[in-house]
Amino acid sequence: MNFELPADLQEYISKLDGFITAEILPLQHRDDNNRFFDHRREPSRTQWDNGGLPTPEWEQLLAQARGLADAAGFYRFPIPRAYGGQEHRDMNLWMCALRLHMASHPVYGGGLSLANDLQNEHSVVGNFPDFLMLYHWGSDAQKAAYIPRRLRGDFRMTFGLTEIHHGSDATHMDTTATPVTLADGTDGFSITGNKKWQTGAHSCTHMLVFARTAHGPGNPRGITAFIVARDTPGVNIASYEYTLNMPTDHATVVFDDVRVPRSAILGPLDNGLAIAQTFTHENRIRQAASSCGAAKFCIDRSVQYARDRVVFGKPLAANQAIQWPLVELSTQVEMLRLLILRTACEMDAVSKRATTEGGSSAVPPWVAIERQLGHKISMCNYWANRLACQAADNAIQVHGGNGYSRHQPFEHIWRHFRRYRITEGSEEVQMRKVAGYLFGYKTTGLEGKEKEKEKGKKTASLDGGSKL
């Protein structure tokens, strides 16, 4: 077994560091742009007199950084070559390694820099869940209409599954879509209901809205995804929700007889939940990598501070009460890092097999990954998000009053990463999935194959013995 990152991946990370040092960090330090990252970060980013929305200057700076990264060839890394990406065969490993590196970097790590500001899911190496849904599920007309605009930045789509009364129980959603005849005489649907936590609603051009079109509450079938233009009559933003980490771009949206053509359906009618699975596991493992990297950043900064800080005539680091919590956290980070990278490698292997072995009857790679590795991805995700919070909290304690101050990044890191214990599937949902495999309520689908292999080995052994 080789536990080193591949040489070409290490070389790519080195090139990325060079780009960030040469172009992104100078932009962050130019004029007064550091106000978005130092102790003034929250008020500089937030329109307190406009619903707590992000300030235009803040979002313009992020867009400028993405433009530089796109021109340098880094931003589109995870998407297909046809659209300017790398389409690497080991995409999950590479993306996890890149996110671990950027979140743990001593200069621009912690998820609080213009290179990788995770409060906004912003990074010079982009994440494209909406692109993946369009790419895998969109009709030819939808791809032609939306993907080029998405890459230019003038198509922005929210994701609408969670509702006011429903979160993890998405199959019980209240939003419905009823067949109607539109004003032009064509077939369409009328959407009525609500969605909550519609991230990016303040600047979106479209919303991906999941609505029940058949069957009853609790049935995963009968839910359809619709691409709804933001300016469609009946789409109303009821509020933006203030959160632990501001600014907010998380809207509650009400749909009142919103009429859309049949061509607004993304993917299959009545089977829209399958679309959400397209990016779930990629997002969860990448999120785990970022959380693990942020935890390492907090630990490294705490170790350095403890060595430099002198109390009662000796370094703070001489105290075992300081050492031992950092030893435990550092041990957990190292074990988690290895689990994340191994799981990412296994995801790439499953994806390759699903793509090459099954022909036209093959299940989509993300379905195979869910069946075989969903529990391992959940392990990585829930533990990494919890660990990031623990490491940030410990960093605040090690730094004392300085750690509690906003002049250090740890309070921001804690407030941001705390949300990941809820989003992308709460840690209770993740643990429930792990328990399902652990106690036999779910299977990977590989158990039968393993038994067949073992049976084949025994048969071969008996055959060989009879010939002697």
Side-chain angles (χ1 to χ4, degrees):
M1 297 180 71
N2 185 357
F3 292 97
E4 294 294 323
L5 295 179
D8 54 347
L9 174 52
Q10 294 184 48
E11 182 181 356
Y12 192 86
I13 289 174
S14 179
K15 290 179 180 179
L16 180 64
D17 278 340
F19 162 72
I20 291 172
T21 300
E23 297 197 46
I24 299 300
L25 293 182
L27 175 60
Q28 178 176 327
H29 300 312
R30 190 177 304 158
D31 302 322
D32 194 25
N33 288 338
N34 267 323
R35 72 186 186 277
F36 297 114
F37 305 97
D38 61 21
H39 62 283
R40 302 166 291 171
R41 52 189 168 256
E42 195 165 32
S44 296
R45 297 178 178 198
T46 307
Q47 298 182 65
W48 296 109
D49 58 350
N50 187 28
L53 293 175
T55 57
E57 298 82 4
W58 166 232
E59 295 194 310
Q60 288 165 9
L61 181 62
L62 296 177
Q64 189 175 353
R66 289 193 296 270
L68 290 172
D70 201 14
F74 292 104
Y75 183 61
R76 302 189 194 189
F77 174 81
I79 66 175
R81 286 192 181 90
Y83 295 98
Q86 298 286 331
E87 203 169 5
H88 203 283
R89 282 178 58 81
D90 298 315
M91 183 61 69
N92 289 296
L93 171 63
W94 278 57
M95 283 297 289
C96 283
L98 290 170
R99 290 207 155 204
L100 271 161
H101 175 76
M102 287 189 287
S104 63
H105 195 277
V107 176
Y108 59 82
L112 182 60
S113 78
L114 187 54
N116 195 49
D117 195 285
L118 298 175
Q119 181 188 6
N120 299 76
E121 302 301 331
H122 159 85
S123 177
V124 293
V125 178
N127 200 28
F128 295 83
D130 55 340
F131 173 94
L132 288 176
M133 289 186 288
L134 288 169
Y135 179 74
H136 289 295
W137 297 98
S139 65
D140 290 342
Q142 288 170 335
K143 291 178 183 178
Y146 298 134
I147 287 182
R149 292 175 57 194
R150 164 64 175 91
L151 296 176
R152 291 196 305 268
D154 54 14
F155 172 86
R156 297 174 298 279
M157 185 171 67
T158 66
F159 181 84
L161 197 59
T162 302
E163 298 185 344
I164 295 173
H165 301 295
H166 301 285
S168 298
D169 57 342
T171 58
H172 291 261
M173 65 176 59
D174 296 327
T175 303
T176 60
T178 306
V180 294
T181 300
L182 302 180
D184 62 1
T186 60
D187 292 338
F189 290 84
S190 169
I191 302 174
T192 297
N194 66 84
K195 297 295 172 182
K196 195 170 185 179
W197 308 115
Q198 289 275 279
T199 303
H202 70 297
S203 62
C204 74
T205 60
H206 293 74
M207 299 178 175
L208 185 63
V209 180
F210 291 80
R212 183 160 291 284
T213 46
H215 307 306
N219 194 326
R221 299 283 298 183
I223 293 174
T224 303
F226 296 87
I227 300 176
V228 181
R230 166 65 183 87
D231 59 2
T232 305
V235 177
N236 301 299
I237 294 180
S239 61
Y240 287 97
E241 312 309 324
Y242 274 49
T243 58
L244 186 64
N245 222 12
M246 293 293 284
T248 180
D249 60 352
H250 312 296
T252 295
V253 185
V254 175
F255 302 93
D256 182 12
D257 188 23
V258 176
R259 305 224 164 188
V260 296
R262 192 175 185 85
S263 60
I265 294 175
L266 178 65
L269 179 70
D270 295 336
N271 196 25
L273 280 185
I275 296 172
Q277 295 294 330
T278 309
F279 67 94
T280 296
H281 297 296
E282 287 185 359
N283 251 17
R284 284 179 178 172
I285 196 74
R286 294 173 189 180
Q287 188 183 86
S290 293
S291 293
C292 184
K296 186 178 187 303
F297 172 85
C298 291
I299 294 165
D300 291 346
R301 288 282 291 265
S302 297
V303 168
Q304 188 60 53
Y305 182 83
R307 295 176 67 182
D308 294 341
R309 181 76 166 182
V310 176
V311 295
F312 299 108
K314 61 182 181 180
L316 184 63
N319 297 292
Q320 289 180 329
I322 297 297
Q323 296 173 4
W324 289 357
L326 288 169
V327 167
E328 290 189 0
L329 289 167
S330 185
T331 302
Q332 291 181 54
V333 162
E334 185 58 18
M335 291 189 295
L336 179 63
R337 182 184 71 85
L338 292 172
L339 178 62
I340 289 170
L341 295 177
R342 175 182 170 174
T343 302
C345 286
E346 292 177 338
M347 291 171 68
D348 288 326
V350 169
S351 181
K352 292 169 191 174
R353 288 197 299 270
T355 302
T356 60
E357 293 181 1
S360 60
S361 63
V363 299
W366 53 88
V367 174
I369 287 171
E370 156 65 21
R371 291 175 182 172
Q372 299 176 37
L373 297 169
H375 58 307
K376 290 188 179 180
I377 296 167
S378 289
M379 286 180 183
C380 294
N381 187 267
Y382 94 81
W383 193 256
N385 298 333
R386 186 187 295 181
L387 186 60
C389 294
Q390 292 173 340
D393 184 80
N394 187 75
I396 292 172
Q397 193 71 20
V398 170
H399 285 74
N402 292 330
Y404 187 68
S405 164
R406 295 195 179 195
H407 290 265
Q408 295 290 340
F410 309 117
E411 57 83 32
H412 180 97
I413 292 171
W414 186 89
R415 285 188 288 117
H416 170 68
F417 283 89
R418 182 61 182 83
R419 94 180 199 185
Y420 289 144
R421 294 178 63 188
I422 301 169
T423 61
E424 280 298 318
S426 67
E427 64 181 42
E428 292 82 6
V429 168
Q430 310 280 13
M431 294 173 74
R432 183 173 179 267
K433 175 171 286 190
V434 176
Y437 286 93
L438 188 63
F439 292 98
Y441 299 114
K442 299 185 71 172
T443 66
T444 63
L446 298 178
E447 291 82 359
K449 293 182 180 179
E450 292 300 321
K451 289 180 180 179
E452 286 297 321
K453 285 183 182 178
E454 195 61 32
K455 182 178 179 181
K457 290 179 182 178
K458 290 180 179 178
T459 301
S461 177
L462 289 172
D463 289 344
S466 64
K467 294 177 183 177
L468 293 174

